[in-house]
Amino acid sequence: MTTYHQSTRGEPRVALVTCSDLADLDPDDRLVLTPLAAQGVAVQSVVWDDPDVDWSSYDLVVLRSPWDYALRRDEFVSWAATVPTLVNPADVVRWNTDKRYLAELSAAGVPTVPTSWIEPGESWQLPAQTGEYVLKPAVSAGSQDTGRYDLADPEHRDLAAAHVRRLSEAGRVTMVQPYLRAVDTEGETALLFLAGPEGLAFSHAIRKGPMLSGPDLGPDGLYKAEEITARTARPEQLAVAEQTLATVPGGTRQLLYARVDLIPGPDGEPVLVELELTEPSLFIGYADGAPDRLATAITTHLARTA
């Protein structure tokens, strides 16, 4: 546990929740510390599974980088349900940590990457047609256990089948998605929304370069390296993001942040690849004023819990 600003009587106390591998926070998250201190907020970084933490001693508990939860999702969701003043809240965590929510969003009319699901123990019939596909678990963080396979390549077909078996034997659901080649040129666009006095509002956008170069060959760290640059969101991207957020169970007023990840579909129009409401990188270092806006989001939720 790291204290960044010594609390005194009357100051609100905020926990920024992380994991043991990032006990001192992700560097991007540390950018919010100065603006919070300027607003008189006492901040500590706290590891989510530390048994000695008294979560009720904090006025607000903010999920930031608990990125080791994927293999212990049930434990993580149960923990979230015990934490008072958690944002985003436990019901959102339960819904959002299993990517099968994409099926709900698609059924609600949100344009999403076509996705099929392989339950543990199910046999998988590899697609007869050639093409590139992405395989990943329905519960994951940081692109762990994610691979890209060219099914025209016999070796890739064998590796894809092995990937599904590996996830199935671990009791994990596999997602199968076509690889949309526009990612190789345009990349992925992440639109960041932060809470403010008037509710959740668009803050900034970034571009992620292509990350998947081939099959998943086993563990390679807590998260894959990312190529990040600032990006200006286009109106059609903002429209899909707003459509996506309108489907969140319980509404957006409960949210401190949201990240909507989009990629170009086959016709060039944006489609949703992921809605991040649990522990997304917010990339506040890539937009002027974003650290201050995140601090405002936190103090806005502090005021609601007062």
Side-chain angles (χ1 to χ4, degrees), residues 193 200 240-248 251-252 255 258 260 275 277:
F193 293 78
L200 201 64
V240 171
E242 294 287 358
Q243 181 184 4
T244 300
L245 293 171
T247 68
V248 173
T252 59
L255 303 180
V260 183
L275 171 61
L277 303 179

Side-chain angles (χ1 to χ4, degrees), residues 28 31 204 206 282-288 290-291:
D28 191 68
L31 297 176
H204 59 286
I206 59 94
L282 297 175
F283 304 112
I284 58 175
Y286 292 86
D288 291 342

Side-chain angles (χ1 to χ4, degrees), residues 35-286:
L36 282 175
Q39 296 191 47
V41 177
V43 182
Q44 289 183 318
S45 65
V46 189
V47 174
W48 73 271
D49 56 354
D50 182 342
D52 297 324
V53 176
D54 177 9
W55 297 103
S56 66
S57 69
Y58 295 100
D59 299 289
L60 197 68
V61 177
V62 180
L63 287 166
R64 287 311 315 121
S65 50
W67 294 334
D68 60 355
Y69 78 87
L71 296 180
R72 294 186 289 157
R73 187 247 179 183
D74 289 347
E75 178 185 347
F76 182 68
V77 168
S78 296
W79 163 82
T82 70
V83 181
T85 64
L86 182 72
V87 285
N88 287 332
D91 286 349
V92 171
V93 170
R94 182 181 302 106
W95 180 75
N96 188 241
T97 48
D98 187 325
K99 293 180 178 63
R100 282 177 286 187
Y101 69 76
L102 288 170
E104 296 180 38
L105 299 188
S106 179
V110 175
T112 63
V113 177
T115 307
S116 57
W117 312 88
I118 308 168
E119 299 288 334
E122 279 187 344
S123 60
W124 179 45
Q125 186 67 42
L126 274 76
Q129 68 271 30
T130 59
E132 290 189 287
Y133 288 81
V134 174
L135 302 180
K136 58 185 173 182
V139 178
S140 65
S143 296
Q144 298 175 62
D145 302 303
T146 300
R148 170 181 172 182
Y149 300 89
D150 181 356
L151 297 188
D153 183 332
E155 182 181 4
H156 275 222
R157 293 180 73 87
D158 290 343
L159 288 170
H163 189 164
V164 172
R165 283 196 303 273
R166 184 166 67 250
L167 293 178
S168 180
E169 288 167 0
R172 305 175 77 185
V173 175
T174 302
M175 304 168 58
V176 183
Q177 298 175 321
Y179 185 80
L180 300 182
R181 295 300 298 272
V183 172
D184 291 337
T185 52
E186 184 165 332
E188 183 176 311
T189 301
L191 287 77
L192 287 304
F193 293 78
L194 298 171
E198 305 302 319
L200 201 64
F202 175 69
S203 170
H204 59 286
I206 59 94
R207 175 191 184 272
K208 289 187 190 180
M211 295 174 59
L212 299 178
S213 58
D216 175 63
L217 300 177
D220 58 357
L222 190 61
Y223 52 88
K224 288 181 167 65
E226 298 177 320
E227 175 197 328
I228 307 298
T229 54
R231 168 165 274 177
T232 300
R234 300 194 299 269
E236 62 269 26
Q237 293 172 325
L238 288 166
V240 171
E242 294 287 358
Q243 181 184 4
T244 300
L245 293 171
T247 68
V248 173
T252 59
R253 183 171 172 78
Q254 64 187 319
L255 303 180
L256 176 68
Y257 50 69
R259 197 181 89 198
V260 183
D261 294 345
L262 305 174
I263 58 179
D267 60 358
E269 293 299 307
V271 296
L272 179 72
V273 64
E274 199 159 339
L275 171 61
E276 296 262 19
L277 303 179
T278 302
E279 32 62 38
S281 294
L282 297 175
F283 304 112
I284 58 175
Y286 292 86

Side-chain angles (χ1 to χ4, degrees), residues 1-24:
M1 183 184 303
T2 302
T3 301
Y4 292 100
H5 174 54
Q6 186 63 42
S7 178
T8 59
R9 184 179 297 275
E11 286 186 327
R13 300 181 72 235
V14 171
L16 299 183
V17 179
T18 185
C19 61
S20 57
D21 284 347
L22 291 167
D24 206 32

